[in-house]
Amino acid sequence: MLNSLLIKNGVVIDTAPAPVVLGPADVRVENGVIAEVGPGLTAAPGAEVIDATGRLVLPGFVDTHRHTWQAPIRALAPDVSFDGYLARVLGEAAPRFRPEDVYAGNLAGALECLDAGVTTLLDWSHIQLTPAHTDAAVRALRDSGIRAVFGYCHGGDPAELARETRRVREELFDTEDGLLTMALAALGPEIAGEERALAEWRLAAELGLPVTAHLGGHGRESAARGLAFLESHGLLSVRTTFVHALHYTDEEFKRIAGSGGSVSFAPVDEMNLGLGCPPAGRARAAGLPAGLGADTVVCAPGDLFSLMRTVHLLERGRPDGAGLGFTTHDALRMATAEGAEVLGLAGSVGSLRPGGQADIVLLRTDRPGMAAAHDPIGAVVLHASPADVETVLVGGRVVKRDGQLLQHDLTTVLASLRESAAAVAG
C-alpha cells in the first residue's frame, strides 16, 4: 500500500470539466489516489511532502496514439511521405526487429513519455512478428512504470488473429492490472478490407475490448465508405477510436459521436506525411472527444508540448479566422482530460479530480523560457518543454524527481536502444 503524499504550494491547474487555474494550492494523495485539492492542506503523519513552490502542478499528459516500438528508428525518415513511410519503416525496418529490439524500443519509448510528463499511453503495437515480440512489448511497458493501453494489432489471417488475440488477452492480461490494459488495434476496412474488419470488430466485441483503428486518413471517398461499412454492420456498438480522422464531414463526425466513438489526431505526423490538416475544431464541435498522439518518432516529436502547440497553431491559422475560437485551454484539454475520454479512462486519469489516479506532473517556472508567465495555461501550451518537467507521479509513485527518472539505469537502457538501432536500421 502506498503512503500519503502532499504536494504543497504549487500553482495548480485542473483540466476537468475544463482547464482552470486553481491558484496556489496543495494536492493530497492517499494510496495512489487524489484525495483532496485546495489551499492550506495538512499532511498526514509520516506523509512525504513535495514542495511545489514556483512550480505548475497539473495532470499527467495522455498520448492517445503512439507506435512505441519505433524508438530505435527515431528520425529515420524525417521528411518522408506516407508511401515512403510504409516502404521504409514497415517494409524494410520492421522485419529486422527481434524481440529484444521491441523490448528496447518499448522501454525507452515509454521512459521518453514519462520524462516528458506523459503518464498514460495508447501503445498502438503492430510489430507482432512472433508471440515473443508481443510478450517483449508488454513486458517493457510493465517494466517502465507507465500507465498504458496496449493496442494489439496482429496482421495474420482471421483465424490466426483470433487465436493470438485470445492468447494475449488470457495470458498477458489475465489479472486486473492497475497500470496496463488492452485494446484491439484494428487494421480496419480502409487498410485491410471489409472481411478482415468484420473479424476484428466482432473479435473485440467477444473479448470485451475497445477498438483503435486508422480510419478517415486516406481521402474523402475512403473515409465515407469505411464509416458506412462500420455503421451498416452495427460494428460501432464497440467503442472505437478513429485515428487520423481527417476526411469526415461535420455530419459524419456527429454520427461517430452518437455511436460513442472518439478521435485521435497526430498533428505533426499527419502534416509531415502529407495526410492532411487535422480538423480538431470541427470534430470537437460535433461532440467528439479528441485526443493527441505522437504517432511515430520516425518523423515527429515524442512530446505532447509539441503536439499541443501544433494543433493550436493549425486551428487558429484556419482561413478567414474560422479557428480563432480554439484556445490554449482547448489544446491542454485534448492532451489531458479529453485524451482520457478517448481511452475510456475519464475520471481515472487526465485531471486532478478527487478519486482519480494521482498521475501528476510538476513543471519548473524558474527557467528563462518559463519565467514571468502571466497565464499558466498559456505557458504550458506555448512555452513549456520536456526540460521543464521536474517531477512526475504515476498512481502516486514518484517516477521522476528533480529532473531525473528514478526507476531505471538510463545508461543501460540507452545502450540497449543504440544496439537495437544499429541492428534494425540496416
Side-chain angles (χ1 to χ4, degrees):
M1 180 173 290
L2 297 169
N3 294 325
S4 298
L5 182 147
L6 185 66
I7 301 171
K8 289 284 293 183
N9 300 324
V11 175
V12 175
I13 301 171
D14 200 3
T15 55
V20 61
V21 179
L22 301 179
D26 309 330
V27 180
R28 184 167 62 85
V29 175
E30 299 288 346
N31 298 321
V33 173
I34 297 170
E36 191 176 5
V37 178
L41 301 183
T42 302
E48 178 184 357
V49 177
I50 296 177
D51 183 4
T53 302
R55 305 296 185 260
L56 303 180
V57 180
L58 66 156
F61 299 119
V62 179
D63 184 323
T64 58
H65 182 75
R66 180 184 299 238
H67 305 303
T68 316
W69 62 271
Q70 293 180 1
I73 49 176
R74 181 186 310 278
L76 179 70
D79 305 303
V80 73
S81 67
F82 180 66
D83 288 342
Y85 168 85
L86 294 179
R88 185 85 183 276
V89 175
L90 300 187
E92 296 176 8
R96 300 191 185 106
F97 271 71
R98 305 161 297 178
E100 56 264 40
D101 302 320
V102 174
Y103 181 87
N106 259 33
L107 179 59
L111 293 179
E112 174 188 3
C113 288
L114 291 173
D115 192 48
V118 176
T119 54
T120 300
L121 164 70
L122 185 291
D123 178 25
W124 213 101
S125 185
H126 53 340
I127 189 66
Q128 320 309 329
L129 303 180
T130 69
H133 286 73
T134 305
D135 296 351
V138 174
R139 187 171 71 254
L141 292 176
R142 284 208 167 95
D143 289 350
S144 74
I146 201 168
R147 190 182 306 278
V149 180
F150 180 64
Y152 178 75
C153 177
H154 192 283
D157 61 47
E160 188 178 5
L161 163 73
R163 181 173 61 253
E164 276 302 298
T165 305
R166 288 192 182 95
R167 181 192 74 82
V168 173
R169 181 75 175 86
E170 294 168 3
E171 293 183 8
L172 304 183
F173 295 87
D174 58 341
T175 58
E176 189 70 24
D177 189 316
L179 293 181
L180 203 59
T181 54
M182 182 179 175
L184 194 149
L187 293 175
E190 296 182 58
I191 294 176
E194 296 179 352
E195 182 179 352
R196 163 79 183 207
L198 277 174
E200 290 173 326
W201 264 262
R202 288 173 176 172
L203 178 62
E206 176 190 337
L207 298 179
L209 299 174
V211 169
T212 174
H214 297 79
L215 293 164
H218 305 286
R220 173 74 196 112
E221 182 181 346
S222 176
R225 184 172 61 249
L227 177 59
F229 169 78
L230 295 175
E231 290 176 318
S232 66
H233 287 82
L235 301 182
L236 294 185
S237 60
V238 177
R239 182 168 62 81
T240 300
T241 298
F242 289 63
V243 179
H244 308 314
L246 304 178
H247 299 291
Y248 295 112
T249 65
D250 293 349
E251 189 271 335
E252 287 168 336
F253 275 140
K254 290 177 182 177
R255 282 157 42 196
I256 295 171
S259 75
S262 60
V263 294
S264 173
F265 295 114
V268 175
D269 185 70
E270 288 155 0
M271 294 295 288
N272 198 12
L273 292 176
L275 296 177
C277 185
R282 289 200 300 109
R284 297 174 79 244
L288 272 166
L292 297 172
D295 199 351
T296 172
V297 296
V298 167
C299 58
D303 67 278
L304 263 67
F305 298 107
S306 298
L307 305 186
M308 288 189 288
R309 272 193 283 278
T310 302
V311 76
H312 180 259
L313 170 71
L314 293 175
E315 278 299 315
R316 292 186 65 83
R318 290 193 181 279
D320 302 320
L324 289 178
F326 190 93
T327 69
T328 51
H329 289 229
D330 295 315
L332 180 60
R333 194 175 194 283
M334 288 181 68
T336 53
E338 207 162 318
E341 291 179 46
V342 170
L343 299 188
L345 298 174
S348 179
V349 301
S351 78
L352 298 181
R353 300 294 86 184
Q357 292 295 308
D359 294 1
I360 302 172
V361 171
L362 276 65
L363 301 181
R364 295 177 57 178
T365 63
D366 59 351
R367 293 164 57 88
M370 285 288 283
H374 292 263
D375 183 330
I377 292 174
V380 172
V381 174
L382 298 180
H383 300 281
S385 76
D388 300 306
V389 177
E390 181 179 66
T391 303
V392 178
L393 287 76
V394 178
R397 295 184 185 275
V398 179
V399 298
K400 184 178 184 180
R401 191 192 301 273
D402 297 329
Q404 300 297 319
L405 292 171
L406 302 180
Q407 308 299 324
H408 295 269
D409 177 2
L410 280 186
T411 300
T412 301
V413 171
L414 298 182
S416 296
L417 185 68
R418 286 190 290 269
E419 180 184 340
S420 289
V424 303

